[in-house]
Every structure is written in structure tokens, then in C-alpha cells.
Amino acid sequence: MKIAKKLLLQLLLTFLSIILISGLPELIMNKNVSAYFGKVKAVFIEMLYLNEMTYLNQGIKRPFLEDIWEPYFYSLTILFGALFIALCFAQVLTWGTLMLPNFIRKIIKNILTFLESLPDLLVFALVQMGIVLIYKKTGVLVSNVASLGAEDRIYIVPITCLMLLPFVYFYKMMILMTEEEMGKQYVETSLAKGMKRLYVLVFHVTRNTSEGIFHFSKSVLWFMISNLLLVEIIFNIHGITHYMYHDFRPEMLAACLILLVIPFFLIFALFEWTIMRYSKRSEAL
């Protein structure tokens, strides 16, 4: 019950933060604090009556909730797909990397440090150029490099672009956390008892580093949500951010951000509840 109250409070504070942020353009443009709080109040009221909210589509007012669901789930598929693939690839490669000699691990970490410094737009451009190059050399079109309209769906290119940098972040963080965990006494004891290094790594060390990776993934997720806007603009994708940059009103920004945050908040809350419950049970044992 205590955990539920904490999570509910976090959700309400997240909504409040989004509403406060959505009013910032009013404050920046007019430099008027009263106008800012007036806009924040208006956005708050709009969120309470979200079912009546409208947006402009080619000069015609359309009901927001009636049109948003298909683009919304399309964007969620791209986001969830990119996050899931980045995490899985990073975890598998971390297990493989920790089986390698130290000097190779150092080289890999240096490469990852270089890769994480690359600008997002350069990564997106390189992915597009790679697909075009493969097509020119082999005649095989791996994926369309841009969507042709609202009904056209592309997945490979946006998911690849969105997952590359998070994959690098996860991979480097997992290596660092796992190396630190491998130096602990229980690992040496397990290896001394004859357990295989890979078994200890996968079933003991990974479990103990999972909580740290879970908390790290929250900041990576915010990075991915901000990059989703770039990906959808560059590849002409009709996703949820289409509504944010075609109807740049504070209430529209707040509504889209709240819709994006809700599913991830629920998933993270479920993981947090599981970790806390598991930790308490371990302490009791």
C-alpha cells in the first residue's frame, strides 16, 4: 500500500511537471509570470476535459482523442521496439565482453566512449546512407528510408536510429557495473567452488546489477522520447509527435507528453514494485 501511494504521488507530480513545462513558451515569449500561470491553469483545465480537446488538421478542427490512437500506438511500437532491442543486445554483448581478456575490454570501452559522443543527427544520416549503399551494391532494399504518408508504416529505419545510441549507453554502463560486481567476494567464492564464470555472470552478477540498470534506463528513456521527435520529422512518420509540431499549443504538447509517459510509467512502476518486493523478501531470508 505504501508503494502504491508513492507511485501514485510520482505519477501526479510527473503530470504536474509536464503541465508546468508546457506553459514555458508563454513565459519565454512574453516574459510575463502572470500570463505563464494563466496558461498553466488553462492547460490544466484542458487536461481535465481531454475528451473535448480539438486540434487543427489542414485548417479543420478535429477531435484529438478520436484521431490520436493509431499514430500513438505506432510511436509506442517504435519506442518500445528500440528500447527492448537496445537492452537485449547490450546485455548479450556484455556477457560476451566480460569473457574476453582485459586489454580487449579496454579497447571496446574506448570505442563505446567515442560512439556515445556522436551527434544524434549524424547517426540518423549514417543509417540512411547505409541503407542506400546496401541497395546500390546489392539491389536489396532493406527498408524504405522515409514514410510516404500517414497510412505508410516503416519500422526498421526508425527503430534502428532510435536504438543505436541507447544501446551504446546501456552496453557501456552494463560493462562498468558488471566489472565492479565481478570484483566482489561472493563472485570469487562462487568461482573458487568450481562454478563456471559464465554461469556466475548470467545468474548471479546480472541479477545484482539489474536494479542499477533499471534506474539508469529511466534517463535513457527520456533521451529516446526527445529523439522520437527528430526521428519522426526526419523520416516523415505520422506518429504522436506529428501533433506536437503541427499544432504547437501548450495543451497539445502536454496531452502528447502525458500519453507518452503513461505506459512507460506503468511498466517502470511494475518493475520497481517487483524489485522492492524481491529485495524485502531477500532481506527477510
Side-chain angles (χ1 to χ4, degrees):
M1 193 64 185
K2 193 175 176 181
I3 298 173
K5 283 182 181 175
K6 180 189 165 191
L7 293 174
L8 182 61
L9 179 62
Q10 285 179 346
L11 183 62
L12 291 175
L13 289 176
T14 303
F15 288 171
L16 181 62
S17 304
I18 289 173
I19 292 171
L20 290 174
I21 290 170
S22 65
L24 280 178
E26 188 75 22
L27 180 64
I28 294 169
M29 286 188 289
N30 297 325
K31 296 180 176 59
N32 186 325
V33 177
S34 299
Y36 166 69
F37 282 109
K39 179 51 73 176
V40 167
K41 183 182 174 185
V43 172
F44 181 73
I45 293 170
E46 284 277 1
M47 294 306 101
L48 291 178
Y49 299 97
L50 195 60
N51 58 325
E52 297 174 7
M53 189 170 162
T54 58
Y55 74 101
L56 288 175
N57 182 15
Q58 297 176 343
I60 302 170
K61 277 190 177 180
R62 294 278 308 160
F64 174 68
L65 283 185
E66 194 173 299
D67 291 357
I68 193 63
W69 296 116
E70 278 193 30
Y72 173 59
F73 287 114
Y74 181 32
S75 294
L76 284 186
T77 304
I78 293 171
L79 262 177
F80 273 113
L83 182 64
F84 180 74
I85 292 170
L87 265 171
C88 290
F89 275 15
Q91 186 61 77
V92 171
L93 286 178
T94 300
W95 290 333
T97 305
L98 267 290
M99 302 301 290
L100 298 172
N102 274 335
F103 76 96
I104 298 181
R105 294 212 299 262
K106 281 184 182 176
I107 294 171
I108 292 174
K109 282 188 280 187
N110 287 335
I111 293 172
L112 290 175
T113 302
F114 167 73
L115 290 176
E116 70 182 0
S117 65
L118 291 177
D120 311 341
L121 287 175
L122 177 62
V123 174
F124 301 162
L126 288 175
V127 171
Q128 279 185 315
M129 287 167 62
I131 290 173
V132 173
L133 192 64
I134 291 172
Y135 179 68
K136 279 190 170 181
K137 294 289 182 187
T138 65
V140 177
L141 183 60
V142 179
S143 169
N144 289 329
V145 291
S147 172
L148 300 177
E151 302 302 322
D152 189 32
R153 298 278 191 266
I154 58 170
Y155 292 95
I156 294 177
V157 174
I159 288 176
T160 303
C161 288
L162 208 55
M163 60 80 65
L164 280 177
L165 286 176
F167 159 73
V168 172
Y169 299 149
F170 279 129
Y171 188 20
K172 187 178 177 183
M173 183 56 70
M174 283 178 180
I175 289 176
L176 294 175
M177 292 179 72
T178 307
E179 281 182 334
E180 186 183 344
E181 195 70 20
M182 289 293 283
K184 292 188 176 174
Q185 184 66 41
Y186 78 92
V187 175
E188 293 176 10
T189 306
S190 302
L191 294 174
K193 284 182 178 177
M195 288 186 184
K196 297 286 185 188
R197 184 179 172 85
L198 184 61
Y199 177 84
V200 175
L201 188 62
V202 173
F203 292 100
H204 295 288
V205 175
T206 301
R207 183 183 59 194
N208 292 339
T209 56
S210 59
E211 187 175 349
I213 295 299
F214 164 74
H215 292 298
F216 177 70
S217 65
K218 291 180 181 177
S219 54
V220 175
L221 177 62
W222 278 110
F223 167 80
M224 293 177 74
I225 288 177
S226 62
N227 265 359
L228 180 68
L229 176 66
L230 283 177
V231 167
E232 293 196 348
I233 290 174
I234 291 171
F235 299 112
N236 193 32
I237 290 172
H238 189 84
I240 190 168
T241 63
H242 170 85
Y243 296 83
M244 293 163 67
Y245 63 82
H246 276 89
D247 187 351
F248 194 66
R249 291 177 297 154
E251 47 269 45
M252 184 60 68
L253 180 67
C256 291
L257 284 177
I258 286 173
L259 284 176
L260 277 174
V261 162
I262 286 174
F264 286 99
F265 181 88
L266 293 176
I267 289 172
F268 279 107
L270 177 64
F271 273 103
E272 190 165 352
W273 178 80
T274 305
I275 288 171
M276 290 176 74
R277 191 178 175 83
Y278 182 78
S279 302
K280 282 185 180 176
R281 186 174 292 176
S282 299
E283 286 173 9
L285 291 172

